[in-house]
Amino acid sequence: MKAKYIFSGLLAMTLVSSCTDKMDYKEYNVHDKAYEEKMFERVGGLMTEIYNDIDYDFSNYSGAMSSSATDESVYSHPGNAIEDFYNGAWGPTNAKERVWKSAWDGITYSNLVLDEFNDCTFPEYTEDEHYQQQMFLYKNYRYEARWARAFFYFELVKRYGNVPLKTRTMTANEANSLPQMPADSIFAFIDKECADIQDSIIVNYGDLGDMSYYKAQTGRANKLAVMALRARAALYWASPLFNTKGDKSRWLKAAQLSNAVIAEARQEGMGLLPDYSKLFDKDSYKDGIKEIIFARRTTASNAFEKYNYPIGIENAGGGNCPTQNLVDAYEMTNGKAIDEQGSGYDPQDPYKNRDARLALTVAVNGENWPDKAALETFEGGANSSSVTYGTPTGYYLKKYVNKGTIIAKTGSNSFTHEWVIFRLAEFYLDYAEAALNYTGSGYTAPDGLPMTAAQAINVVRTRAKQPNMATGLSFDAFKKKYENERFVELAFEGHRFFDLRRWKEAPQYLKNIRGMKITRLDDGTMKYEEQTIATRTWDDKWYLFPFPQKDALNCHLTQNEGWK
């Protein structure tokens, strides 16, 4: 999401890749400090560039989302680059390095703000009537930049593990000589940075009192964004991928930090938004403000809809089609899994009496989506796999897709999209996971904390109008229920790809991908048959990303295990 200030050519340069990029701002076409001091907005432009380096997942892989490298969805265009993640075609020479590039860029800009533009006084503007307000916001940049730097390091460590730690502006040669730091040290850096700044950064940009001047202050990191980053990083650090010795104290810390996010959010009048769908539509930055902690806003576009509208609509691409794996994860309204005794599930009326989040996430056969035409995903139907690029699973994506978007050649329109990075519901789930793993029970609260894992999950389930968690579940049964709850609540928000990796549970979920075969019978009724549509392999080296080969060589990085 862009900051208020508009990037105005301040850093018009060629962006190149690798950890050597832009290590010394004087080596590139960047105006010097004296020039920057002449205009508040010029320094603000650096912050805009930092925010612009925050990644989002609106079809990053030529239309595909990371969900289509998991059991959430299948991309309807065979041969797409997303397949590299599960067919073994990625590696050091095909390293999927989008975030590797953007994170190092963001770290470099953050260091530049902190080292070179941290103490400007703008003497030529002291008589400006809004000088005090502008300086108030300017001084906050140092905390925003530290948050951003920590955020980028989290994006790196969760993908790569051990990475260099660059905390100041330096030359390319200096940067190339930095040693890799253990993942534990990177997580410790993130934790300390967030702890240091969370009580100094602005709490609420919408309530600046006498310091308010700019009308729009959305999309900037505030206190809750800092606390959210710290809590999520703690959860990852406690997870099996990084917590190789099973240190339970890490789970306790993760629970404490997630609880702190929840408590701070309550204090600021936040809670779960009653309407789940409002978190992901075109006005989510307004309607979702009650729950959304931080989101990345894009410019107005209809590209996401072009990628994901059902085949059969003019200019539509079919896109990221939800799997039967995901659809089956949605419980019945009585709280039972579809394969659980007494659930009432009817295989020939499979979408009846299901968790309301299913209908808000997945478009099914016969549904009027995105317009008044009923979807025909049955074999031979207008939107089916019988049509080139039609759904291979029997479903289409609704979440994040704005059905008011017109993508036809005539009369097309476009809207902004908000990629939700932190929202409150996640931290109830994060708390539940940490509490469960620390206490060994879904029904025992960690010492000094107010909720059991079940109580935290029930907050999320209540919004969905689902019954409370069942009582008396064993640790393993509760864990399975928790993971299922996280699957459906956070579907298509970029979590699944990394959850299965940090849990080290990818093989059990990612090998068999299922869809729904629908046949229209002579009497017009439909016959539903689940089927396996893909059988995939898994290699444990995929738990971490490979370092791009050129950077592994230039920066003397030890390649991650299995990728050499």
Side-chain angles (χ1 to χ4, degrees), residues 446-466:
D447 292 342
L449 293 175
M451 293 182 290
T452 65
Q455 289 171 326
I457 295 172
N458 289 341
V459 174
V460 177
R461 292 175 63 85
T462 296
R463 191 251 301 277
K465 296 182 172 56
Q466 287 296 102

Side-chain angles (χ1 to χ4, degrees), residues 362-497:
V362 179
V364 304
N365 181 65
E367 182 176 359
N368 297 332
W369 173 264
D371 50 30
K372 295 181 180 179
L375 281 178
E376 297 182 356
T377 62
F378 56 83
E379 290 193 317
N383 316 107
S384 71
S385 59
S386 306
V387 183
T388 302
Y389 303 141
T391 173
T393 66
Y395 304 105
Y396 286 100
L397 178 63
K398 293 173 78 173
K399 194 170 182 178
Y400 275 126
V401 178
N402 174 25
K403 68 177 182 178
T405 304
I406 299 171
I407 64 172
K409 292 180 181 178
T410 302
S412 65
N413 59 12
S414 60
F415 301 92
T416 60
H417 293 77
E418 326 294 327
W419 182 255
V420 177
I421 293 176
F422 299 120
R423 64 181 176 95
L424 186 55
E426 176 203 336
F427 294 94
Y428 281 100
L429 296 176
D430 291 358
Y431 176 93
E433 180 178 339
L436 173 67
N437 282 282
Y438 178 69
T439 65
S441 167
Y443 313 103
T444 302
D447 292 342
L449 293 175
M451 293 182 290
T452 65
Q455 289 171 326
I457 295 172
N458 289 341
V459 174
V460 177
R461 292 175 63 85
T462 296
R463 191 251 301 277
K465 296 182 172 56
Q466 287 296 102
N468 285 345
M469 288 282 290
T471 59
L473 296 176
S474 67
F475 174 86
D476 288 340
F478 195 101
K479 180 174 178 289
K480 182 178 179 181
K481 281 283 190 182
Y482 163 77
E483 291 180 359
N484 193 80
E485 187 69 27
R486 189 175 181 94
F487 192 18
V488 301
E489 173 68 22
L490 302 178
F492 297 100
E493 296 180 48
H495 290 274
R496 187 70 171 175
F497 185 95

Side-chain angles (χ1 to χ4, degrees), residues 257-274:
L257 292 176
S258 287
N259 181 65
V261 171
I262 294 166
E264 178 67 21
R266 286 176 178 165
Q267 185 173 322
E268 295 181 25
M270 297 178 68
L272 300 198
L273 193 69

Side-chain angles (χ1 to χ4, degrees), residues 1 22 46-56 98-114 144-161 163-166 186-187 189-190 193-194 221 225 229 232-233 294 296 421-422:
M1 192 181 295
K22 295 171 289 184
L46 277 168
M47 293 306 305
T48 299
E49 184 65 12
I50 290 169
Y51 281 110
N52 284 344
D53 281 323
I54 292 175
D55 196 49
Y56 54 86
R98 172 189 174 102
V99 172
W100 176 259
K101 294 177 181 178
S102 63
W104 283 115
D105 288 349
I107 289 166
T108 298
Y109 282 125
S110 298
N111 285 335
L112 181 60
V113 168
L114 293 168
E144 293 179 76
R146 289 178 69 181
W147 172 85
R149 185 173 61 183
F151 179 88
F152 292 127
Y153 266 112
F154 174 66
E155 291 298 295
L156 290 173
V157 73
K158 76 179 185 181
R159 287 171 171 83
Y160 298 97
V163 295
L165 183 60
K166 181 166 72 77
I186 303 299
F187 280 112
F189 172 78
I190 295 166
E193 284 290 279
C194 291
L229 172 59
R232 185 188 288 177
F294 185 81
R296 169 73 155 83
I421 293 176
F422 299 120

Side-chain angles (χ1 to χ4, degrees), residues 134-175:
Q134 290 171 313
M135 285 301 296
F136 174 75
L137 293 174
Y138 163 74
K139 290 178 180 178
N140 191 65
Y141 288 158
R142 70 193 67 178
Y143 307 119
E144 293 179 76
R146 289 178 69 181
W147 172 85
R149 185 173 61 183
F151 179 88
F152 292 127
Y153 266 112
F154 174 66
E155 291 298 295
L156 290 173
V157 73
K158 76 179 185 181
R159 287 171 171 83
Y160 298 97
N162 305 341
V163 295
L165 183 60
K166 181 166 72 77
T167 59
R168 63 178 177 83
T169 302
M170 57 179 59
T171 66
N173 287 336
E174 288 177 311

Side-chain angles (χ1 to χ4, degrees), residues 15-18 21 51-66 82 85 90-91 94-106 152 155-156 159-160 296 298 307 419 545-548 550-551:
L15 299 181
V16 292
S17 64
S18 94
D21 298 347
Y51 281 110
N52 284 344
D53 281 323
I54 292 175
D55 196 49
Y56 54 86
D57 193 12
F58 287 125
S59 303
N60 282 348
Y61 298 95
S62 300
M65 304 169 73
S66 65
I82 197 67
F85 281 114
W90 64 318
N94 177 26
K96 304 300 182 186
E97 56 191 289
R98 172 189 174 102
V99 172
W100 176 259
K101 294 177 181 178
S102 63
W104 283 115
D105 288 349
F152 292 127
E155 291 298 295
L156 290 173
R159 287 171 171 83
Y160 298 97
R296 169 73 155 83
T298 70
Y307 283 129
W419 182 255
F545 279 44
F547 293 110
K550 60 184 179 300
D551 296 321

